[in-house]
Amino acid sequence: MTANILVVEDEPAIQELLAFNVTQCGYRALQASDADSALALINRALPDLILLDWMLPGMSGVELARRLRADQRTHNIPIIMLTARTDERDKVLGLESGADDYITKPFSPRELMARIRAVLRRRAPQMSDELVRVEGLELSPVTHRVNASGQNIDLGPTEFRLLHFFMTHVERVYSRSQLLDQVWGDHVFVEERTVDVHIRRLRQALEPSGLDSLVQTVRGSGYRFSRN
Ligand code: CA
């Protein structure tokens, strides 16, 4: 699953450099020059990570990070703060505003990528390439294969993403709208019943192995992937 990384930076040259590095590493880059256009993009679809410049015209990066953390829909988006400041106090303020990590300009592309990977691994495990195992299920993001007790299971791309998300977020209840945000990256233009359609297909695919019971309906709330 390709992670969408939103670059929020007002300096065109740095914005381009960041987008270039992000794309080189196989991620998809979205670009915004200020907080308002960043919020417009986030409103359309949740990015998987935000590279956020501290000093922006209008609303600052710190302020934007605070707003995203205060909103239930966006409070989990990983944020890496970019800044020219090296002051320890500023670093603390940046992290207190809700950033997951912090990079001081000028940065090396290698450092940037290492930090992006580390934050994604920690905060968005469904974006990682690591093999996931839950119960008798084994999912490999690299080969796009799913095994149930040794038997290969054929899944469409959406069911694969859905299962990957579930397997990396077990025992938690997600509403249809949250699943649209997390798995489709879009909670506005895709209808909620789309989720039900793909849940049904996923269950059908898991049925022969008897593992379809892992995908549970939580009445009035949504869905949960659970061992119990
Ligand atoms: Ca700036």
Side-chain angles (χ1 to χ4, degrees):
M1 192 166 172
T2 310
N4 290 309
I5 299 188
L6 172 59
V7 175
V8 190
E9 164 67 68
D10 59 312
E11 250 168 278
I14 302 180
Q15 187 191 109
E16 282 309 319
L17 179 68
L18 288 166
F20 174 78
N21 280 308
V22 160
T23 313
Q24 284 291 98
C25 280
Y27 303 116
R28 209 171 296 125
L30 299 153
Q31 292 164 252
S33 303
D34 55 45
D36 286 334
S37 36
L39 284 169
L41 286 171
I42 294 166
N43 203 27
R44 278 222 300 272
L46 280 187
D48 300 298
L49 185 143
I50 303 176
L51 292 176
L52 180 55
D53 184 29
W54 178 297
M55 298 292 280
L56 292 169
M59 192 195 303
S60 76
V62 174
E63 191 50 41
L64 176 60
R66 281 212 188 94
R67 271 182 66 162
L68 294 173
R69 284 295 177 256
D71 182 337
Q72 210 221 332
R73 178 174 168 255
T74 54
H75 80 276
N76 269 330
I77 307 177
I79 298 173
I80 299 178
M81 198 77 103
L82 299 166
T83 180
R85 303 176 183 218
T86 48
D87 196 317
E88 241 352 83
R89 272 173 316 178
D90 288 341
K91 178 169 178 168
V92 170
L93 183 61
L95 292 174
E96 275 177 355
S97 71
D100 294 275
D101 204 353
Y102 195 94
I103 297 178
T104 309
K105 296 184 218 169
F107 49 83
S108 77
R110 261 189 40 208
E111 184 196 0
L112 176 71
M113 286 312 128
R115 285 177 189 260
I116 289 178
R117 257 183 236 117
V119 169
L120 280 178
R121 203 178 308 128
R122 203 163 71 228
R123 296 290 307 274
Q126 77 275 18
M127 291 297 154
S128 139
D129 274 348
E130 275 162 47
L131 191 76
V132 205
R133 290 192 185 91
V134 177
E135 295 295 291
L137 275 181
E138 190 179 277
L139 179 145
S140 163
V142 177
T143 61
H144 255 251
R145 277 176 179 275
V146 179
N147 276 285
S149 317
Q151 294 278 66
N152 183 52
I153 290 184
D154 250 336
L155 289 179
T158 305
E159 289 74 38
F160 184 88
R161 287 207 309 275
L162 190 57
L163 181 62
H164 194 189
F165 179 78
F166 274 144
M167 288 176 74
T168 48
H169 296 81
V170 292
E171 308 297 338
R172 272 176 269 176
V173 180
Y174 291 93
S175 68
R176 289 168 178 81
S177 145
Q178 285 173 323
L179 287 171
L180 284 176
D181 251 344
Q182 300 289 338
V183 178
W184 280 257
D186 188 333
H187 75 127
V188 181
F189 298 111
V190 186
E191 285 182 61
E192 293 202 350
R193 65 167 179 226
T194 306
V195 175
D196 303 328
V197 172
H198 290 280
I199 290 274
R200 201 178 311 131
R201 286 188 198 156
L202 177 59
R203 280 183 177 143
Q204 275 165 5
L206 294 176
E207 215 175 271
S209 62
L211 292 170
D212 54 309
S213 58
L214 288 166
V215 184
Q216 301 176 355
T217 304
V218 182
R219 213 172 284 278
S221 302
Y223 294 102
R224 172 178 56 208
F225 197 74
S226 172
R227 300 178 177 95
N228 309 301

